Amino acid sequence: MKQVFSKKLTSALALFLAIIFILPACSPSSDEPEIPSYSASLPELRIDAENGKEITSKTEYSDITLKLTLSEDFAEYTNSYTDEDGGKAELRCRGNSTYGKPDMKAKNKYSYKLHLDEKADLLGLGASRHWYLLANWFDVTHMRNKLAYDLSGELGLTYTKSTWVNLYYNGEYRGIYSLVESIRIEDGRIDTFNWEEYAEDICNIFCVKNNVPDYVVGQLEEAMKNDLSWLSTQKFTFTYTVPDTYEVKTVHIDFSDCFDPNDLDFTSGYLIEYDNRLHGESTKWRTKHNIPVVMDNPAALSTNSYMHEYVQTLIQDFENALYSPTFYNEKGYHYSHYLDVDSLVSYWTVWNLFNNIEFGVLSLYYYIDDGKIVFGPCWDFDNATGNIVTLKEKWERWDYWVEDRGNNGNGWFSQIMGDPYFVALCQEKWFGMQDLVKNMLASLDVYHEYIGADAVKCYERNGPRTNWYLKSRNGGVSYDFETDFNLLKSWLNNRVKWINENFSSSYARVDDSEFVREKKLFIKPEQNTLTAPSSNYKNGVTPDYLLTDSAQIYLNVSTTCTTARRVEIFFNGKRIYSSPIDTVSAIPLILKSSFFKKGKNAMNVIYVVAFKEDGSVRGMNSLVIKSE
């Protein structure tokens, strides 16, 4: 099977060899980019911990007072936390790699999870009680996360809105932080059903109906979130403690007059991390291809067997389709049956543009809504875009495609890039987002003007960051703000130029595979209906064709493979034909022009897989037709 799958990756390479040939290099738009403007000062966020405590725990919240002092840009966003005395909240530390850094701890530049006592719209980012304060310890420009998050939002992904603040902790200046929406299912954030919130609602209905004492309500709510079996059975056994006497009591609850399980839609409401560490106490498992699944919400998914089986089955069926050479699983469904394809196209594009080294390993999120896997939000890009603090020498470069490091390079993202139609969608996305990319590049100088002085002050306070890998770079420490900003700016401009050039090249490569498409499997259009940029074959790669005729497209599929017995033919990701094949006669195929996608940058992909008599894959090839 490994040989079959690695050959399938060949198809991705060949597709890029094919489809990029017919695309012109992008030229800059003459329009002025739409970029933000800011005043010269940042908002100030003041945290005062009880008794002047330094909060260092990742697991236990501590009480704090929080006060925001608004700058000119955010003057309209007043709430209880902008009042003179501020408001109450809880705080704990967060992070993984950064949390363990000795130089960070020496400066008390922790990242935090913030839980407000009251829901509030902080700085126009939306009303919530849950927030992150990111120190951006590895990124002295403080820009990498924001650039990636905002671009992902422009592409239509669910994303985390953010802005910068200067943080004062117990009166001490700690430097620039990013105030960021937390990743959670909530109105205005990840828009899908929230089972844990539903538990709160049903708990409240039951407690009001039955005059349940206040001291029981919180205990019941927490117990219902930690055991979701009641969603299917309407029954719940609950043990609680009486505060004054510490007496432990057990009751059996019937929720039948609070909700009907038949009215519930179990196809939505699951937030999942693709995280190789499998950390935390939530429900987690690995798929058949060793891909990690960590349930973020509902964390207690395994306590409801129906919901647990639904999510496991959907993810496994999706994966089975990905690892099939035809991209259809044994149930007869294409991976797009389970996936919001455009979300993954945009997701891959952002991770690829910024060349985030954790691709396929950590910090990836997706959720299930209406029976579909939806990728997003993008997260944790402070170590991307050539940031030497955390990168190995190769990862510092901008001139190679992002690597899927999951499952030893054989993760979900490597698999889907073996589908020539998915690769074509990524190209369409890239050449369709040039104005967004131009605006992002233009925003760099705006952000430099806005936070530059504060970023320099922050660096002076917190000092250089030690380098994980590149000890030969700058003495093993980070650059200062100005140097790293110029590096970031140069890296991104070079990266965009490199992608444009390679996506416009006849022989672009999208991974490090040495495989090529099958040289003995051919898809030949009639020359009177299509025009080819080149009539020559090179390395067995079929040339690309431009759709110039509005009538019918005549194709012949043939092979010189003596072991090929059957072919399956796919058009734009859909199976359209299956037939026996041999080396004697070609299979004629007619496609109406109306079937084809048309418009600027539109790609149409014909993908053919040949099988041996025993059902194993003999080879595959693809043909790209651009509609204009």
Side-chain angles (χ1 to χ4, degrees):
M1 294 295 286
K2 273 194 173 292
Q3 183 180 11
V4 170
F5 295 145
S6 57
K7 281 196 173 187
K8 179 158 65 71
L9 289 177
T10 298
S11 198
L13 286 176
L15 174 71
F16 273 93
L17 296 177
I19 63 181
I20 293 168
F21 184 83
I22 58 178
L23 284 175
C26 289
S27 58
S29 168
S30 60
D31 298 332
E32 288 298 319
E34 296 180 5
I35 53 179
S37 60
Y38 297 93
S39 62
S41 61
L42 298 180
E44 292 182 357
L45 191 150
R46 295 182 179 272
I47 290 174
D48 291 303
E50 286 191 347
N51 302 316
K53 175 183 178 181
E54 188 67 54
I55 297 170
T56 60
S57 173
K58 283 178 60 176
T59 58
E60 296 182 3
Y61 279 100
S62 297
D63 293 332
I64 64 166
T65 299
L66 176 74
K67 184 180 184 302
L68 266 171
T69 301
L70 301 175
S71 63
E72 177 184 337
D73 295 307
F74 301 95
E76 64 185 286
Y77 300 112
T78 58
N79 53 63
S80 59
Y81 292 93
T82 63
D83 293 342
E84 183 177 354
D85 296 326
K88 298 298 182 182
E90 295 177 315
L91 194 74
R92 66 171 174 83
C93 294
R94 67 166 311 281
N96 290 295
S97 302
T98 54
Y99 182 76
K101 293 292 288 180
D103 48 350
M104 180 281 296
K105 291 183 176 182
K107 297 295 184 177
N108 290 321
K109 193 73 163 61
Y110 293 93
S111 291
Y112 298 107
K113 175 73 171 67
L114 182 63
H115 183 214
L116 307 181
D117 281 10
E118 300 177 9
K119 183 181 287 190
D121 179 1
L122 303 184
L123 304 179
L125 302 180
S128 179
R129 296 175 64 189
H130 303 272
W131 301 87
Y132 297 140
L133 281 167
L134 302 185
N136 293 317
W137 179 256
F138 290 139
D139 180 13
V140 297
T141 73
H142 300 274
M143 295 182 191
R144 288 174 167 88
N145 276 326
K146 184 168 178 59
L147 290 168
Y149 298 169
D150 288 355
L151 181 62
S152 70
E154 293 283 355
L155 290 174
L157 291 172
T158 294
Y159 79 111
T160 50
K161 296 187 286 293
S162 66
T163 193
W164 295 284
V165 297
N166 277 320
L167 178 66
Y168 291 82
Y169 187 101
N170 290 333
E172 179 191 4
Y173 171 71
R174 294 284 172 90
I176 292 182
Y177 275 71
S178 292
L179 177 66
V180 187
E181 292 182 314
S182 62
I183 298 175
R184 59 186 291 106
I185 298 174
E186 188 173 64
D187 289 345
R189 296 192 176 178
I190 296 178
D191 185 18
T192 190
F193 194 79
N194 190 333
W195 292 106
E196 293 182 357
E197 188 177 88
Y198 186 69
E200 297 175 9
D201 294 340
I202 298 302
C203 176
N204 183 63
I205 292 171
F206 174 81
C207 291
V208 170
K209 282 178 175 285
N210 295 277
N211 297 314
V212 174
D214 290 343
Y215 69 83
V216 177
V217 175
Q219 296 182 64
L220 177 58
E221 181 182 291
E222 195 64 24
M224 290 172 66
K225 290 179 182 179
N226 291 328
D227 182 353
L228 301 174
S229 59
W230 56 271
L231 282 165
S232 299
T233 66
Q234 297 180 298
K235 310 294 184 183
F236 192 62
T237 299
F238 169 54
T239 300
Y240 66 96
T241 303
V242 180
D244 294 334
T245 64
Y246 296 100
E247 181 183 1
V248 177
K249 294 186 176 182
T250 299
V251 295
H252 302 284
I253 298 174
D254 186 341
F255 288 124
S256 58
D257 61 344
C258 299
F259 76 101
D260 184 350
N262 294 319
D263 295 334
L264 299 178
D265 178 6
F266 291 105
T267 67
S268 296
Y270 309 98
L271 174 59
I272 301 165
E273 287 188 63
Y274 187 121
D275 190 329
N276 234 10
R277 294 169 297 206
L278 290 179
H279 67 288
E281 299 179 358
S282 62
T283 302
K284 49 187 174 288
W285 67 91
R286 287 189 181 274
T287 66
K288 291 180 181 178
H289 289 276
N290 203 37
I291 302 302
V293 179
V294 180
M295 294 303 304
D296 194 301
N297 187 351
L301 180 71
S302 60
T303 60
N304 186 296
S305 58
Y306 178 83
M307 296 169 71
H308 193 198
E309 182 178 356
Y310 172 78
V311 174
Q312 283 187 311
T313 300
L314 185 148
I315 291 174
Q316 192 58 59
D317 286 348
F318 166 67
E319 180 181 271
N320 291 346
L322 279 187
Y323 284 80
S324 164
T326 65
F327 303 103
Y328 281 75
N329 61 26
E330 66 282 0
K331 295 180 179 180
Y333 290 109
H334 188 261
Y335 66 73
S336 59
H337 179 76
Y338 311 95
L339 173 68
D340 180 320
V341 176
D342 189 63
S343 73
L344 184 49
V345 170
S346 295
Y347 201 71
W348 180 89
T349 301
V350 174
W351 280 77
N352 186 74
L353 170 59
F354 289 88
N355 202 8
N356 192 325
I357 63 170
E358 293 184 345
F359 194 52
V361 181
L362 306 173
S363 304
L364 296 107
Y365 286 88
Y366 59 95
Y367 57 97
I368 298 173
D369 185 63
D370 196 22
K372 292 274 191 179
I373 293 170
V374 185
F375 274 84
C378 291
W379 183 248
D380 204 7
F381 279 67
D382 56 342
N383 60 1
T385 58
N387 187 347
I388 69 162
V389 176
T390 60
L391 302 185
K392 294 181 180 179
E393 186 169 0
K394 177 180 179 180
W395 295 342
E396 183 188 19
R397 291 164 35 198
W398 41 260
D399 58 346
Y400 70 100
W401 297 105
V402 68
E403 296 179 74
D404 179 357
R405 295 170 57 213
N407 195 20
N408 296 317
N410 196 29
W412 282 0
F413 309 104
S414 290
Q415 290 302 312
I416 203 165
M417 294 308 289
D419 177 11
Y421 183 58
F422 184 84
V423 179
L425 293 176
C426 291
Q427 277 203 283
E428 289 179 357
K429 177 69 69 174
W430 175 256
F431 283 101
M433 60 183 278
Q434 291 298 296
D435 285 345
L436 295 179
V437 172
K438 181 181 178 183
N439 292 350
M440 179 200 69
L441 295 175
S443 71
L444 284 164
D445 287 333
V446 178
Y447 291 157
H448 179 276
E449 182 70 18
Y450 180 45
I451 70 169
D454 288 295
V456 170
K457 181 181 177 183
C458 179
Y459 189 83
E460 290 172 349
R461 188 266 180 195
N462 293 295
R465 284 64 158 152
T466 55
N467 194 310
W468 283 13
Y469 296 112
L470 300 182
K471 301 302 182 184
S472 61
R473 302 292 197 275
N474 199 39
V477 297
S478 63
Y479 298 123
D480 59 26
F481 168 75
E482 290 293 344
T483 303
D484 199 46
F485 171 78
N486 288 325
L487 180 151
L488 171 63
K489 185 176 179 179
S490 173
W491 193 100
L492 276 172
N493 276 278
N494 283 326
R495 179 66 169 171
V496 170
K497 181 181 178 182
W498 183 84
I499 294 175
N500 281 338
E501 290 173 349
N502 278 269
F503 271 15
S504 301
S505 167
S506 297
Y507 299 102
R509 304 178 65 90
V510 294
D511 58 30
D512 293 327
S513 171
E514 294 299 322
F515 294 98
V516 295
R517 285 187 293 182
E518 177 54 61
K519 297 180 180 180
K520 299 181 179 181
L521 187 62
F522 307 101
I523 315 164
K524 297 181 179 179
E526 295 292 335
Q527 292 299 309
N528 62 343
T529 59
L530 298 174
T531 59
S534 171
S535 59
N536 299 322
Y537 287 75
K538 184 173 182 179
N539 297 329
V541 177
T542 306
D544 313 310
Y545 290 87
L546 302 179
L547 179 61
T548 58
D549 187 26
S550 61
Q552 298 183 124
I553 310 304
Y554 298 90
L555 301 170
N556 280 316
V557 177
S558 61
T559 184
T560 57
C561 298
T562 58
T563 58
R565 293 292 180 268
R566 181 175 61 87
V567 294
E568 291 189 5
I569 303 172
F570 305 83
F571 178 72
N572 287 351
K574 303 296 182 184
R575 183 191 282 118
I576 62 171
Y577 200 72
S578 179
S579 174
I581 194 170
D582 54 37
T583 58
V584 177
S585 58
I587 298 172
L589 193 65
I590 299 175
L591 294 175
K592 293 182 178 180
S593 177
S594 59
F595 293 168
F596 287 74
K597 291 191 298 181
K598 298 178 176 65
K600 186 177 181 181
N601 301 322
M603 301 289 196
N604 298 276
V605 180
I606 298 165
Y607 175 55
V608 177
V609 183
F611 297 89
K612 298 180 183 179
E613 189 168 1
D614 62 4
S616 62
V617 173
R618 173 58 182 86
M620 54 202 69
N621 210 333
S622 57
L623 172 74
V624 174
I625 299 175
K626 193 173 186 297
S627 63
E628 62 176 40

